[in-house]
Amino acid sequence: MQPTTAWQAMAQRPLSFLTSSWPWRSLAYLSGGVLVGAAAVLVFALGLAAGLILLVVLIGVAPLVGLVLASTVVATVERRRLRLVDLDRLTDPHRSPDAPGLRGWVATRLKEQATWRELVFTLLSAAALWWLDLLVLGFSFGVPATFIATTSGETWPWTVFAVIVLLSSPYTVTSWAGARAAMARTFLAPRDKELGEELREVRASQSRLLDSFDAERVRIERDLHDGAQQHLVSLGMTLGLMRLEVEEGSAQDELLTQAETQLSTAHQELRALIRGLNPPVLADHGLVAAIEDYAGRFPIPVTVDLKVPQRLPRKLETTMYYLINEAMTNIAKHSGATTAHVHGRYHSDLFILDITDDGRGGLDPAGSGVTGLADRVAALDGRMRVSSPVGGPTLVHVEVPCRFA
């Protein structure tokens, strides 16, 4: 899968990363951060000054209005700059003003939580972030350049140190750029209630589809259990009665034996299908027990390390079970792996899942199997990333919001 963030690019391709555009994009992002941060100080000061003027001219108009105007500009620029190191586009969380004109715009902005998050981010940018950008750039390039320029016979160890720092600068710069971008996204990304009505409806539609699929799966499982399986049992009893009237060792006896063997195989396959559609272990004991039971019957050794504080919400639990099930099926069929590992944790309102194998790698991110898994995760507002270099290993990383009642 093509990386969408600087961190992913560095983690997936640690060597070829050096010849990609990501180090340069990170350098541009941090260099721009210095300029934007310095400008934020100026804009912040001008905004505060404008607010103070308004306070003098119009009693009751707080200087905060000027700061809000300044922070909105800084946040808009930062959202555009984020595309350098994070390809997932940030949606503007602001809604249209309730009334026309500057007064209506300001009144609307002051009511929005996004405005106050932008204000905090602007304060951080002005007070700390751009200094940190400058510090990282200075350590990565300024310090080595100084040592190299002032080198002499007695200071050659410092020159070696400077060369090492310079060679590692792509990783240093990209690491900080990724961390800075993650923090910016935390402040500037829209919350669910700030999304547009159409996008909320799309997500609600996805949720309804998951519910309908779950209900349909349960219905099919019940119909197979109460219908087809009972017919097979009845057929077995009929074959048993027929055997009472057939001479042992005759041609009819051999045909009955073949029919009973085929019936037994069909019955086992149907039971496995029913158990896969709605596994009783999942319903009775939860995700951890269900995956451990599935892993125990898997054709290759699977290490299961799933820990959650309590039963996951039903929708999440069911989706994660079938996602792991499908991923493991793909491993058994296509990867050539000899071992696999399932690791899951709940942390800070997120359920984080990693599925790894030691197979041949080269998993096609555009394949129907991977796309289907990603769609399951997206329907829960989650994210899925795949790392599968040729030669292996393969990692499927999933993060899904999870809030217990």
Side-chain angles (χ1 to χ4, degrees), residues 12 84 90 95-96 101 106 114 145 159 215 244 251 264 313 350 355 362 368 379 383 398:
Q12 291 181 14
L84 286 170
L90 276 182
R95 56 186 175 87
S96 300
V106 172
T159 302
L244 297 176
S264 177
L350 280 179
I355 305 172
S368 59
R383 301 176 67 182
V398 177

Side-chain angles (χ1 to χ4, degrees), residues 4-5 8 86 88 185 377-378 381-385 397-401:
T4 60
T5 67
Q8 287 178 15
D86 191 337
D88 290 340
R185 176 176 282 276
V377 175
D381 296 337
R383 301 176 67 182
M384 188 183 86
R385 295 290 180 265
H397 179 80
V398 177
E399 296 180 3
V400 181

Side-chain angles (χ1 to χ4, degrees), residues 203-235:
R203 293 194 171 181
S205 176
Q206 290 178 329
S207 180
R208 290 193 296 269
L209 281 175
L210 279 180
D211 290 339
S212 64
F213 288 155
D214 189 32
E216 185 67 12
R217 184 169 52 244
V218 172
R219 185 192 65 80
I220 293 174
E221 182 270 337
R222 185 175 59 250
D223 290 346
L224 289 176
H225 183 276
D226 298 339
Q229 185 169 251
Q230 298 304 317
H231 289 311
L232 290 179
V233 172
S234 177
L235 178 58

